[in-house]
Amino acid sequence: MSSEKFTVTEHLVPGSYIREYPGSTVMQEDVLKIHVKQYTPKHEGPVPADAITFIAAHGVGLPKELYEPLWDELLERTNGFHIHGIWVADVASMNQSGIQNEDKLSMDCSWMDHPRDLFLMINHFREQMPRPLVGVGHSFGGNIITNLAYLHPRLFTTLLLIDPLIQLSPPSMGFGTDPPGPINYTLWRNDVWPSREAAIRANRGLIHGWDPRCVDRMAKYFFRDLPTPLYPDVEAVKARFDAAADTTATPVTLATPKYHELIAQIRQNFNARDPTTGRIEIPRATHADMDPLVASIPLYRPEPRSTFRRLGTLRPSCLWIVGGATFLNVDEIHEGVKICGSGIGGSGGVSEGRVKEVILPGLGHLMPFQEIGTVVGPCVAWLQQEMNRFRQMEREWEEERKGKSHLVLEENWYKVLKPMPSGRGKGGRKEKL
């Protein structure tokens, strides 16, 4: 278990200011708090100077603690690299962060806020986060970590993207001719149960095939006891259920309310059509990130598409781990891998060995909680390669700096730049005698 392998420290830090959408908070000046867990390995000896600091991001509505067995497995299989620490923060509207902020959160959510929150966290704890930094992201967390790398291209040495939500096609939105999908399920699902045990039974389809360690964390962190601001009357909730139910048990609800889980999956565009003229007009004060080609659709999600379009510029090297049975558009992921890092400012991409895709046959989107060892295997192999490269680059940099002054420019500057013509001052003007 993680507490046996890691010292776990909890932090509460402020979120970034200003939020992407004005409707993210009740008042635009509200200060949100971000709940962070720091996992420090219980090393028996000194920590090597090049031990990795991991920054991780979770999936929509998935508690950050669900990934603890993944960290345990990664620590057990370290070979050719060491772990300095692993840092994971709940998104401001989800899980423990959401509970801290529930009196300030409103009904809008941008994926772009969490990369800034993580960057603020990294600067806040910089003394405890020595280089190299490695980003890890699952699902929409993969999108978030990628956007943090866009925000600061040299921040991460490499990225591990596990079934990341980076694609051009929108998800099935469950309206019109679309069949119902995850979005419909989220909105219409039951979100209150007479006990924690009943909640687990009701969600057994979600956790089918999960590692028992992840199921245990699901039971502990995916739900919260009543009362809550959404369900303040415990007795009224108890009255909903069969009289045969255990009346001494404490009812529970979702740790991340289903409404916040929904608006993280999809965003509303209900007001694009003018009720008087019938014309489609993008309300740029609130929906400037809307693609005009889809402005007539009442729901959208801009970040998967915009993140895909920038993949060519991704600076850190990148391992894509994709489930063979994922619900994501695998063909588009393949195309994303092909262009990843291949453009101006990028890593060099697949052709230079800086980007790699690993397909895990038979595994779905929730594979980090199912076949943990299978997911960790390619991560370990990639980190061994990238750490060898990191060490080589550090040696070359130190060698290059030897004997050079930090006070004056090197001689090449004088060889390349011509001297000023005699008698002329700055800007080429003649000097007055």
Side-chain angles (χ1 to χ4, degrees):
M1 292 301 199
S2 294
S3 60
E4 297 173 3
K5 303 177 187 299
F6 294 91
T7 299
V8 184
T9 308
E10 299 187 43
H11 307 277
L12 199 62
V13 298
S16 64
Y17 174 76
I18 299 167
R19 309 309 281 183
E20 181 80 8
Y21 299 142
S24 296
T25 51
V26 175
M27 302 294 293
Q28 292 194 52
E29 303 299 322
D30 282 336
V31 178
L32 300 180
K33 299 293 185 181
I34 309 301
H35 188 268
V36 181
K37 277 193 174 177
Q38 172 190 3
Y39 299 87
T40 306
K42 295 180 178 178
H43 295 290
E44 295 181 357
V47 181
D50 61 1
I52 298 171
T53 299
F54 288 92
I55 309 296
H58 61 82
V60 171
L62 299 172
K64 59 187 179 301
E65 291 81 7
L66 288 180
Y67 300 87
E68 289 177 348
L70 190 72
W71 313 143
D72 289 345
E73 191 83 18
L74 185 63
L75 183 63
E76 286 182 1
R77 297 174 63 172
T78 53
N79 182 18
F81 64 93
H82 295 82
I83 298 176
H84 187 278
I86 301 171
W87 297 72
V88 197
D90 281 324
V91 172
S93 59
M94 299 179 192
N95 310 311
Q96 293 302 309
S97 292
I99 292 171
Q100 291 287 334
N101 298 320
E102 58 191 345
D103 60 329
K104 299 180 176 67
L105 293 170
S106 192
M107 289 293 114
D108 210 348
C109 176
S110 169
W111 294 9
M112 296 297 101
D113 284 324
H114 198 54
R116 290 185 281 261
D117 290 341
L118 291 178
F119 190 45
L120 191 62
M121 177 196 77
I122 291 167
N123 278 273
H124 185 82
F125 293 107
R126 60 171 294 175
E127 292 183 357
Q128 300 180 58
M129 296 184 178
R131 294 182 309 120
L133 271 65
V134 170
V136 185
H138 170 230
S139 188
F140 103 130
N143 187 294
I144 284 165
I145 285 294
T146 302
N147 275 285
L148 178 50
Y150 291 154
L151 182 65
H152 188 338
R154 208 172 71 85
L155 181 68
F156 292 120
T157 295
T158 192
L159 302 182
L160 306 174
L161 303 182
I162 305 172
D163 229 41
L165 266 166
I166 302 173
Q167 59 183 41
L168 292 173
S169 299
S172 175
M173 299 186 193
F175 66 90
T177 59
D178 270 2
I183 297 167
N184 305 74
Y185 169 76
T186 301
L187 179 62
W188 292 95
R189 70 180 299 186
N190 292 327
D191 64 340
V192 65
W193 300 272
S195 67
R196 198 166 292 261
E197 292 73 19
I200 288 291
R201 290 195 300 271
N203 288 274
R204 60 184 176 273
L206 174 64
I207 60 177
H208 176 71
W210 280 26
D211 185 290
R213 295 170 292 176
C214 295
V215 174
D216 289 343
R217 285 162 174 79
M218 174 85 165
K220 183 175 181 180
Y221 296 104
F222 194 71
F223 309 102
R224 62 183 292 203
D225 292 347
L226 269 55
T228 69
L230 190 59
Y231 294 108
D233 191 337
V234 177
E235 294 306 316
V237 169
K238 286 184 177 181
R240 296 187 190 181
F241 301 101
D242 193 311
D246 181 3
T247 57
T248 64
T250 302
V252 299
T253 186
L254 297 167
T256 299
K258 66 179 184 180
Y259 306 113
H260 285 293
E261 183 177 339
L262 177 65
I263 62 174
Q265 293 179 61
I266 205 74
R267 190 172 189 237
Q268 64 83 13
N269 180 40
F270 300 151
N271 300 320
R273 188 179 299 277
D274 188 296
T276 303
T277 65
R279 295 178 57 189
I280 299 294
E281 297 180 1
I282 296 174
R284 295 196 177 275
T286 55
H287 290 69
D289 53 13
M290 160 103 25
D291 187 333
L293 295 176
V294 295
S296 61
I297 300 175
L299 299 171
Y300 79 115
R301 190 75 260 171
E303 300 90 352
R305 192 176 179 89
S306 64
T307 304
F308 185 98
R309 286 173 168 170
R310 297 181 63 188
L311 281 173
T313 69
L314 189 63
R315 181 80 55 84
S317 63
C318 187
L319 175 67
W320 296 63
I321 302 176
V322 182
T326 181
F327 75 92
L328 302 179
N329 189 317
V330 177
D331 290 339
E332 287 187 358
I333 291 177
H334 294 337
E335 291 303 311
V337 172
K338 288 179 184 179
I339 64 174
C340 184
S342 63
I344 295 174
S347 65
V350 174
S351 64
E352 297 187 22
R354 312 303 297 125
V355 173
K356 181 178 180 180
E357 179 185 26
V358 174
I359 305 293
L360 300 181
L363 293 186
H365 190 61
L366 299 179
M367 56 187 167
F369 318 130
Q370 298 165 336
E371 298 291 337
I372 298 172
T374 304
V375 174
V376 168
C379 294
V380 170
W382 181 259
L383 290 170
Q384 290 170 342
Q385 167 191 308
E386 292 307 294
M387 282 305 299
N388 286 336
R389 182 177 181 276
F390 172 80
R391 295 184 191 106
Q392 179 182 346
M393 291 182 64
E394 290 289 291
R395 288 192 297 267
E396 291 175 355
W397 172 251
E398 291 300 324
E399 190 65 30
E400 173 69 18
R401 296 296 299 165
K402 281 183 180 178
K404 291 186 177 180
S405 172
H406 68 282
L407 298 175
V408 297
L409 291 172
E410 60 185 53
E411 190 63 26
N412 282 338
W413 284 91
Y414 292 95
K415 295 178 181 178
V416 172
L417 293 178
K418 297 177 181 179
M420 295 291 295
S422 178
R424 292 186 179 273
K426 294 180 180 178
R429 297 188 301 272
K430 274 192 173 182
E431 297 285 2
K432 292 182 179 180
L433 299 177

